[in-house]
Amino acid sequence: MMKKAVAEFIGTLWLVLGGCGSAVLAAGYPELGIGFTGVAFAFGLTVLTMAYAIGHISGCHLNPAVSIGLWIGGRFDGKELLPYIGAQILGGIAGASILYVIATGKAGFELGGFAANGYGAHSPDGYSMLAALVTEIVMTFMFLIIILGATHSRAPKGFAGLAIGLGLTLIHLISIPVTNTSVNPARSISQALFAGGWAVDQLWLFIVAPIVGALLAGFVYKLLSPDTE
């Protein structure tokens, strides 16, 4: 269990550092910045690379919602759920801490939203709380459907990481303008702790909505494919 927890810690650290780091450090340059598209690919690439690096150790969940969805879908032992979630949250915080140290090393740096998730006035394009709630539930639902399908014993072998990484990229391409894209409570918690204020006040949505989406996906996929292996 310790090896699995360490792998989840490292993987979630990489997801936050790579994904949120791309948003904080590389997205805003005029003409040279990577923009929304680059950030979307950065998040997808973190999952893609970790899928092949630690997938054989822990399954590469990197996300409490994924662990919960896999548990409901019959793919994950409930006894390991809390250690996984704890490791993911701590890994996310570690990744955000490293990002903070790097980002504040530039003179004149302003923390701002620190790539935190938000709705209303704190949505990148001003989307409402309802829009954010629906987006996060639906995007997490689809993410778990992709994961459960791509990792099924009858799915093509060796391509799960690619499908899941590209799936997360697509999710970000759709939803960054709405919420900055969470679909991952660990990612949201880590950034909100540093952004503070409004980000902490709105954090509830980015914990509840991904978990709801994951639970729904787990139930639905069990109906679609009773063979959980």
Side-chain angles (χ1 to χ4, degrees), residues 50-142:
M50 282 296 106
Y52 295 106
I54 65 168
H56 59 288
I57 300 171
S58 68
C60 189
H61 297 187
L62 317 186
N63 180 341
V66 169
S67 296
I68 290 169
L70 290 173
W71 169 54
I72 293 297
R75 301 281 190 82
F76 184 59
D77 190 343
K79 293 183 294 186
E80 297 184 341
L81 192 58
L82 290 181
Y84 265 59
I85 292 174
Q88 291 155 0
I89 292 172
L90 291 175
I93 294 170
S97 300
I98 294 169
L99 176 57
Y100 180 82
V101 171
I102 295 170
T104 55
K106 179 182 177 181
F109 171 77
E110 295 183 6
L111 185 66
F114 203 55
N117 303 111
Y119 55 82
H122 304 290
S123 159
D125 206 23
Y127 285 86
S128 69
M129 182 181 73
L130 178 60
L133 186 67
V134 171
T135 297
E136 291 293 329
I137 290 173
V138 172
M139 294 299 147
T140 310
F141 175 88
M142 293 307 303

Side-chain angles (χ1 to χ4, degrees), residues 35-41 139 166-178 181:
F36 284 172
T37 302
V39 174
F41 273 98
M139 294 299 147
L166 289 175
L168 188 60
T169 299
L170 177 57
I171 285 166
H172 279 77
L173 288 171
I174 296 167
S175 59
I176 287 177
V178 184
T181 310

